[in-house]
């Protein structure tokens, strides 16, 4: 949806708009393709995001129509954080905030036991993301970035809810 929406590359358009009019209010990336929803196995939970430039930083406001608190949401947060990181590098801005607007935020019944384990754990220091080799967001590969000082507890198995 981001790279070819009926011939429109939303990422290229977003970057062009940010560079040409950083103060604009229309820096929007949409995943909700009304014409294709019925063809999708699952409509996107992360519906849209809006990017905001201020004082040399770029921030992302992400709207999520549905947030599976223990499986989908952490993945969406990590994905949009990476996107914000790469967009900031592409346009020469500092990374600002990633702000999530979560509509139907829920915990599935079959996640309760794992959730209890998760909530008993002590949070660890947050890692950082570093990308040194960068020429363009369009040439980026996952090997170009490194997660530094990542620590984790042992994995918790969560079944996908149906």
């Amino acid at each position: 949806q981001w790279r070819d929406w009926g011939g429109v590359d939303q990422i290229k358009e977003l970057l062009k708009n940010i560079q040409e009019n950083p103060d604009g209010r229309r820096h929007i990336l949409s995943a909700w393709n009304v014409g294709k929803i019925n063809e999708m196995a699952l409509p996107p939970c992360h519906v849209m995001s809006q990017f905001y430039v201020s004082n040399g930083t770029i921030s992302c406001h992400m709207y999520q129509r549905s947030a599976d608190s223990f499986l989908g949401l952490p993945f969406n947060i990590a994905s949009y954080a990476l996107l914000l990181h790469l967009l900031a590098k592409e346009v020469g801005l500092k990374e600002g905030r990633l702000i999530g607007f979560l509509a139907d935020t829920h915990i599935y019944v079959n996640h309760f036991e794992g959730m209890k384990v998760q909530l008993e754990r002590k949070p660890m220091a947050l890692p950082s993301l570093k990308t040194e080799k960068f020429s363009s967001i369009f040439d980026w590969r996952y090997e170009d970035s490194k997660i530094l000082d990542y620590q984790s507890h042992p994995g918790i198995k969560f079944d996908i809810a149906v």
Side-chain angles (χ1 to χ4, degrees), residues 136-156:
S136 168
I137 192 171
F138 302 107
D139 297 328
W140 178 85
R141 295 168 38 111
Y142 73 90
E143 298 94 357
D144 298 336
S145 296
K146 302 285 182 236
I147 299 173
L148 306 175
D149 302 318
Y150 178 77
Q151 304 172 56
S152 69
H153 293 282
I156 302 171

Side-chain angles (χ1 to χ4, degrees), residues 118-131:
Q118 179 75 20
L119 290 173
E120 290 173 1
R121 292 178 169 179
K122 182 180 176 191
M124 297 181 173
L126 293 173
S128 59
L129 178 64
K130 189 164 187 109
T131 302

Side-chain angles (χ1 to χ4, degrees), residues 29-141:
L29 191 58
S30 178
W32 195 262
N33 184 340
V34 175
K36 300 282 184 178
I37 293 296
N38 291 334
E39 298 173 27
M40 298 177 186
L42 176 69
C45 293
H46 53 100
V47 175
M48 67 162 283
S49 53
Q50 183 173 13
F51 296 86
Y52 176 76
V53 177
S54 176
N55 298 322
T57 65
I58 183 170
S59 295
C60 175
H61 300 226
M62 186 259 297
Y63 175 79
Q64 197 160 329
R65 68 164 182 86
S66 180
D68 171 0
S69 297
F70 283 88
L71 285 182
L73 183 57
F75 180 80
N76 294 134
I77 291 169
S79 299
Y80 274 88
L82 176 60
L83 177 63
L84 178 60
H85 172 78
L86 296 174
L87 289 173
K89 287 193 132 342
E90 184 74 21
V91 296
L93 296 168
K94 293 179 189 171
E95 296 166 49
R97 295 175 181 245
L98 172 60
I99 300 165
F101 298 93
L102 309 175
D104 180 2
T105 304
H106 50 271
I107 300 165
Y108 290 106
V109 173
N110 63 338
H111 293 175
F112 281 179
E113 292 307 311
M115 174 197 68
K116 289 176 187 175
V117 172
Q118 179 75 20
L119 290 173
E120 290 173 1
R121 292 178 169 179
K122 182 180 176 191
M124 297 181 173
L126 293 173
S128 59
L129 178 64
K130 189 164 187 109
T131 302
E132 291 182 1
K133 179 185 165 190
F134 186 86
S135 61
S136 168
I137 192 171
F138 302 107
D139 297 328
W140 178 85
R141 295 168 38 111

